[in-house]
């Protein structure tokens, strides 16, 4: 399920994202006693909770209203609709990402910490991965996260055109690994079958339906046969198969990407 941000009214969405206006603040009606008030922030927080707990498919103005013990109509005073709410949710959760790193002068350490933090962030809020990167939200927290990554990359001394592409490379890499972990977790819940059960049932049949598998796919078969087992790590080995694979891919792939940045630095003589 892919969701595109920026589908609501552009002016109202941008004004809400940057808090240039606060719909509903001037429409409070005095009454004979205290009333719990709504706010844009309260609505966004409730919406994030709905998405975190039940996924993007469960998100609706009605579901958010129920979380706040209000009707969906009561929310429209503050947020024009679901499209604008999605933009606000996406930007708001990005405020969780660190914007300062102690080792900012050590670009490799800083980028490693950034990648790990960003992976953890996406796994806390897997619905964020369903928001397409084709239409960015353009909110303040999204920009702050981007600015942090650029600041860490500035430590490499590489020129701006290359840094721009490295921003995309690192972002897509982390999102891709996070997406695999999130989908692996969802697969077991949706299908009722663990990774191990699924792979065992099907891989066992390969020898039966494709007895010449090794001859048909020699490079793949040779790689799998020669691959040395990783040293045992209890925390990782306890994970389901696909999540374990994705996390190991993340660790190895990140090192390779950072090695590539080091090679670019040496090639350009920036350090």
């Amino acid at each position: 399920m892919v969701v595109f941000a920026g589908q609501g009214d552009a002016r109202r969405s941008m004004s809400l994202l940057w808090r240039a206006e606060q719909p509903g603040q001037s429409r409070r009606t005095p009454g004979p006693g205290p009333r719990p008030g709504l706010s844009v922030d309260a609505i966004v927080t409730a919406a994030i909770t709905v998405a975190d707990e039940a996924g993007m498919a469960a998100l609706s103005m009605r579901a958010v209203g129920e979380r706040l013990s209000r009707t969906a109509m009561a929310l429209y005073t503050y947020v024009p609709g679901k499209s604008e709410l999605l933009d606000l949710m996406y930007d708001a959760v990005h405020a969780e990402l660190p914007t300062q790193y102690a080792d900012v002068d050590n670009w490799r350490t800083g980028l490693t910490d950034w990648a790990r933090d960003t992976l953890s962030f996406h796994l806390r809020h897997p619905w964020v991965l369903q928001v397409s990167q084709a239409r960015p939200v353009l909110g303040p927290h999204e920009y702050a996260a981007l600015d942090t990554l650029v600041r860490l990359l500035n430590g490499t001394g590489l020129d701006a055109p290359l840094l721009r592409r490295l921003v995309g490379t690192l972002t897509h890499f982390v999102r891709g690994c996070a997406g695999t972990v999130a989908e692996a977790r969802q697969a077991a819940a949706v299908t009722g079958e663990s990774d191990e059960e699924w792979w065992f049932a099907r891989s066992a049949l390969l020898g039966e339906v494709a007895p010449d598998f090794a001859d048909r796919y020699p490079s793949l078969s040779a790689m799998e046969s020669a691959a040395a087992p990783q040293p045992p790590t209890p925390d990782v080995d306890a994970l389901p198969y696909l999540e374990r694979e994705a996390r190991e891919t993340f660790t190895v792939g990140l090192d390779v990407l950072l090695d590539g940045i080091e090679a670019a630095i040496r090639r350009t003589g920036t350090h």
Side-chain angles (χ1 to χ4, degrees):
M1 177 183 179
V2 177
V3 179
F4 291 96
Q7 296 300 293
D9 178 83
R11 181 169 294 278
R12 296 201 69 183
S13 288
M14 295 297 286
S15 294
L16 283 166
L17 281 166
W18 293 87
R19 294 301 193 266
E21 69 174 12
Q22 292 283 355
Q25 285 191 341
S26 63
R27 297 182 59 180
R28 300 179 188 275
T29 304
R35 292 183 180 181
L38 283 177
S39 68
V40 172
D41 290 338
I43 293 168
V44 171
T45 299
I48 291 170
T49 301
V50 170
D52 285 347
E53 292 180 356
M56 186 72 80
L59 181 67
S60 67
M61 297 296 277
R62 179 179 179 180
V64 177
E66 289 175 351
R67 175 75 57 169
L68 294 165
S69 300
R70 298 297 185 94
T71 65
M73 290 302 297
L75 309 186
Y76 290 111
T77 299
Y78 300 84
V79 180
K82 182 179 174 181
S83 294
E84 291 86 356
L85 178 59
L86 176 64
D87 292 354
L88 291 166
M89 293 165 57
Y90 184 89
D91 191 65
V93 290
H94 278 77
E96 296 179 11
L97 288 169
T99 56
Q100 299 294 330
Y101 285 90
D103 294 317
V104 69
D105 292 331
N106 183 333
W107 66 264
R108 183 159 188 143
T109 300
L111 287 175
T112 299
D113 291 341
W114 168 88
R116 291 171 177 166
D117 288 339
T118 305
L119 179 72
S120 297
F121 162 77
H122 282 112
L123 296 180
R124 287 196 304 274
H125 306 290
W127 56 270
V128 169
L129 295 165
Q130 295 175 250
V131 181
S132 172
Q133 297 294 283
R135 300 288 174 86
V137 170
L138 306 180
H141 299 305
E142 184 182 33
Y143 273 121
L146 185 61
D147 189 72
T148 299
L149 176 55
V150 174
R151 188 167 66 253
L152 291 169
L153 282 167
N154 280 340
T156 65
L158 295 170
D159 61 24
L162 180 54
L163 291 186
R164 198 164 188 262
R165 300 310 168 200
L166 290 175
V167 167
T169 300
L170 289 165
T171 299
H172 290 313
F173 170 74
V174 175
R175 278 179 61 96
C177 291
T180 300
V181 173
E183 289 171 9
R185 292 177 177 180
Q186 185 181 30
V190 171
T191 65
E193 189 175 27
S194 70
D195 291 344
E196 287 74 14
E197 291 169 337
W198 189 93
W199 280 104
F200 180 79
R202 283 154 183 79
S203 62
L205 291 172
L206 275 176
E208 176 184 331
V209 301
D212 59 343
F213 185 89
D215 294 330
R216 293 172 66 178
Y217 311 106
S219 298
L220 175 61
S221 298
M223 179 188 72
E224 290 298 321
S225 297
Q230 297 295 316
T233 51
D235 291 343
V236 174
D237 288 345
L239 297 172
Y241 171 73
L242 284 180
E243 180 168 349
R244 186 168 67 247
E245 286 289 299
R247 287 184 177 275
E248 290 177 357
T249 296
F250 171 80
T251 300
V252 173
L254 180 60
D255 279 343
V256 171
L257 283 174
L258 298 182
D259 287 346
I261 293 175
E262 284 192 349
I265 293 171
R266 289 194 299 270
R267 186 172 63 251
T268 58
T270 53
H271 276 184

